[in-house]
Amino acid sequence: LKIPQSWFFNRREKEGFMRDHVGTYTLILLNVVALPIMVLYGDPGSLSLGGSNLSNPLVFISYMFLHNSTSHLVSNMIALFLQGRVLERRSSTVNMLKVYFFSGILGGALWLAFNFSSTLGGASGATIGLAAYNMIISPGRSLLNEIPLVDRIPVPGKLLFTASTVGALQIAVNLQMLWGDSGTVGVLAHIGGIIGGLLMALLSSESSGFGTAIVTGYLTTALMMASGKARLQALSPIFL
């Protein structure tokens, strides 16, 4: 079995901090400045996904730039920084943006299907879609190599912090949350984002048979778990 070198190294290794990742940094900037601007000049709640806001189709985009806390924003921006850099430098800015927004929209749509009267905000579905895509297309790429200076020094365990291990961990955690009690976490948006990223990877010209197997296995598992939980909830009144 011949492992493609592109799994471990970017196909287009170029110099330049901003030039290679302009899409990633633009998204981070928009996310950071969005909330203060909305608070000062408008109603942030009107741009969240769900409820009466559905009369405006743009909320499927605007909800991704709303975060309910600093920790929520920071965690999503760290994920966007690492995963966005990997995808954008391996592929292109346009492709990274396609995966980001497709995953975010699909995540929002899946969440909305089961939470019509509630509202949703945050970039988690979009960023986890990037992680799912990178898990298939660049599985051996260490995310620590995307951190300036860290990529130039030997860091213990760097090769363990790869796109495949991080992506697999996120998928496992969200599947567990899907079956368990996720509380206020928009886990269905995460699941939808993962599905979006995997579908984009599957349609990519760089996808392999191995990647197809992972996508098929994940989608089958997710559907089985979602179906099982729905049936259990439907039967629960009988046993109460």
Side-chain angles (χ1 to χ4, degrees):
L1 178 63
K2 184 178 179 181
I3 299 177
Q5 288 298 307
S6 58
W7 280 18
F8 298 91
F9 303 99
N10 288 324
R11 184 176 56 192
R12 300 186 302 114
E13 294 286 358
K14 301 184 297 183
E15 295 296 328
F17 184 78
M18 286 297 297
R19 181 179 59 188
D20 292 351
H21 314 102
V22 62
T24 299
Y25 300 138
T26 300
L27 285 175
I28 291 175
L29 178 62
L30 291 175
N31 274 278
V32 170
V33 303
L35 188 55
I37 291 177
M38 292 176 187
V39 170
L40 290 174
Y41 299 102
D43 177 18
S46 65
L47 298 178
S48 59
L49 180 64
S52 60
N53 299 336
L54 293 177
S55 58
N56 179 11
L58 292 179
V59 295
F60 279 92
I61 299 294
S62 63
Y63 93 92
M64 302 181 210
F65 297 93
L66 295 176
H67 292 84
N68 57 17
S69 67
T70 301
S71 60
H72 188 202
L73 174 64
V74 171
S75 62
N76 278 339
M77 292 307 98
I78 291 175
L80 174 55
F81 177 83
L82 297 175
Q83 300 288 358
R85 281 172 57 95
V86 170
L87 198 161
E88 190 170 6
R89 187 143 53 115
R90 167 67 188 272
S91 181
S92 67
T93 297
V94 172
N95 192 43
M96 187 276 292
L97 293 174
K98 285 181 180 178
V99 175
Y100 182 88
F101 285 109
F102 178 73
S103 299
I105 292 172
L106 188 59
L110 182 61
W111 178 89
L112 187 63
F114 296 89
N115 299 273
F116 192 79
S117 60
S118 303
T119 56
L120 177 71
S124 300
T127 58
I128 203 170
L130 297 178
Y133 184 95
N134 288 332
M135 182 184 71
I136 302 300
I137 303 300
S138 303
R141 181 69 180 181
S142 175
L143 298 184
L144 293 181
N145 284 334
E146 300 305 320
I147 302 176
L149 299 182
V150 175
D151 62 333
R152 301 179 182 273
I153 59 177
V155 177
K158 180 184 290 188
L159 293 180
L160 298 178
F161 198 68
T162 61
S164 60
T165 55
V166 172
L169 179 61
Q170 288 183 303
I171 285 177
V173 168
N174 279 279
L175 285 176
Q176 188 278 329
M177 292 172 66
L178 178 63
W179 183 259
D181 182 11
S182 58
T184 59
V185 178
V187 64
L188 284 173
H190 298 178
I191 296 295
I194 292 171
I195 293 174
L198 292 178
L199 288 176
M200 291 292 285
L202 188 61
L203 296 173
S204 170
S205 59
E206 297 178 292
S207 182
S208 62
F210 175 71
T212 302
I214 292 179
V215 173
T216 303
Y218 170 77
L219 295 180
T220 301
T221 303
L223 289 174
M224 289 177 64
M225 293 186 70
S227 176
K229 184 174 182 180
R231 289 180 181 179
L232 184 63
Q233 289 176 334
L235 292 172
S236 60
I238 299 176
F239 301 101
L240 293 179

